[in-house]
Amino acid sequence: MSRKTTLSVFKISFILVLFLHTWQASAMTLMEAYEAALANDSVYRSAQHENEAGQQYKVIGRANLLPNISASYAYSRNNSEIEISGAGPTRSENRNYNSKNAIIQLRQPIINMEGWARFHQGNAQTNLSAMRFEGQRQELISRFFVLFSSANYAKDVVAFSEVEKDSIKKQEEANKLMSQRGEGTKTALIESQAKLSLTEAQLIEAQQGLADAQNALAMMMGKEVTTLDRLVDTFEVLPVESEDFLTWTTVALKNNPDILTQQQNVEIAKQEVKRNRAGHMPRLDVLASVSKSASDTTSTFNQNINTNSIGLQLNIPLYSGGSVDALTVQAEANYKKAQDDLESKTNEVLLELRKQHTALKTGLLKVEALKQSVASSDLLVAATKKSLMGGVRTNLDVLDARNQLYGAKRDLALAKYNYMVSYINLKKSAGVLSVADLEKLSIYFVSETVGVSND
């Protein structure tokens, strides 16, 4: 093999290795993960099919007011024996013939109070289905982001635990070396070894938590989760439409899918009352028909009859054993129940809205406080190290300071995720959560390798 060929093979191999490394290291962005969840989440797909079915309610309700057209055709072979009696002797006559009958009939409701109630009820049921689906769509976004955040936070916890373990491992090795030289104390070595064992156990627990979080996200996305974008180090306040809770209340009362769904339940129950009351009301229909018959009966033997007719049919209910009254009373009770359920659901939504509104405001304050805590803990580690060198502090003090630093960093990461979850849930409680809100959050995630300082 020539040198030129060898160099070409080497270049191709290098490019392939670089490509595979890049492909494996590429992180899944927030929006890519959401698109996968949108396409594969079984709960959302079920909601889609339920909504498709629900859209037919308005068609079914409208059918009660539209014409009903039916057609029928009958053909038979007849063998009749007819006895004819009169002034003279009785005589018999056998007739073997074919009879045919065809009819097309149209019925158009004119006065049909039950039909009108079913019409309005069908529209309300379709609206209910659409509102419920909107709620499921917003629920998908919220549920996805909670799982995405949980997986990311679990990844951060593992990263912090690994760095903490490496730091304590170095401290333990240093203490072991000093002990061998006769410069350190046995207590310092035992302290570092105990801390190392505890950190290793915490790392195992964190790794299990990461696996569980990734599996939960993978079930929703329909594919394995490998690498996710990490949360950026810098963190700014998320833009919201208003800080005023009353403004959010107005938005929620107008847009929250749960409230709107319950409003449609009230309308459905109201129309059910009207539908049952219609059992006492007359019904007027227009009837029109076209019929053709040939030898339809023995009296029309060898006769072809064509008939066109149009007229009115009035049905007046008189007595039905008390069922109409009972059904009406039952429907009225259900209507009042639906109104009470609407009030309960409204209070529930506004309570959750208040909770998320407060969580968003306090969450930002907590993030800022924990930023200061991380900075202070970082300074404490540096100061404790210097004190250790001066003989004022002990090895255990250094380990405790580092443990406090890593704990503050974990708390800060969790506070950031909780703040974003509160943002998502506030929008969901108000009924205005959309993909655009996820896109706003996507700028807080980058595909860089998580970097954690050992100090």
Side-chain angles (χ1 to χ4, degrees), residues 365-390:
L365 297 176
K366 189 174 183 179
V367 168
E368 295 301 322
L370 286 171
K371 283 182 180 179
Q372 295 298 322
S373 177
V374 169
S376 299
S377 298
D378 203 17
L379 292 175
L380 178 61
V381 171
T384 306
K385 283 182 177 180
K386 291 181 180 179
S387 299
L388 176 64
M389 296 175 63

Side-chain angles (χ1 to χ4, degrees), residues 134-135 137-138 248 251-258 260 349 353 424-434 437:
E134 174 61 20
R137 186 190 65 79
Q138 296 191 33
W248 282 106
V251 173
L253 292 175
K254 182 180 178 181
N255 297 283
N256 183 273
D258 291 337
L260 297 180
V349 167
L353 183 71
I424 287 290
N425 287 338
L426 176 64
K427 288 296 193 74
K428 187 185 77 166
S429 297
V432 291
L433 180 61
S434 67
D437 296 306

Side-chain angles (χ1 to χ4, degrees), residues 208-265:
Q208 182 60 48
L210 174 60
D212 292 341
Q214 287 184 334
N215 289 337
L217 182 59
M219 288 290 291
M220 186 179 193
M221 293 168 49
K223 60 181 179 179
E224 184 180 356
V225 177
T226 53
T227 307
L228 299 173
D229 280 358
R230 74 169 184 90
L231 191 63
V232 295
D233 295 325
T234 58
F235 197 81
E236 302 297 335
V237 61
L238 288 164
V240 292
E241 287 76 0
S242 174
E243 297 290 339
D244 182 38
F245 178 72
L246 291 178
T247 301
W248 282 106
T249 299
T250 303
V251 173
L253 292 175
K254 182 180 178 181
N255 297 283
N256 183 273
D258 291 337
I259 293 178
L260 297 180
T261 296
Q262 194 56 45
Q263 287 175 349
Q264 296 304 318
N265 277 328

Side-chain angles (χ1 to χ4, degrees), residues 70-100:
S70 61
S72 63
Y73 177 79
Y75 173 85
S76 60
R77 176 66 181 172
N78 303 285
N79 187 354
S80 302
E81 183 177 343
I82 303 174
E83 291 186 356
I84 303 174
S85 58
T90 301
R91 58 188 179 87
S92 297
E93 181 179 332
N94 292 324
R95 293 179 182 177
N96 296 319
Y97 63 96
N98 297 328
S99 63
K100 301 176 183 178

Side-chain angles (χ1 to χ4, degrees), residues 98-123:
N98 297 328
S99 63
K100 301 176 183 178
N101 185 285
I103 183 171
I104 297 176
Q105 185 180 67
L106 179 145
R107 178 186 293 271
Q108 171 61 57
I110 301 298
I111 300 176
N112 186 353
M113 304 312 296
E114 180 183 357
W116 277 105
R118 288 185 180 276
F119 169 73
H120 293 299
Q121 197 172 53
N123 287 338

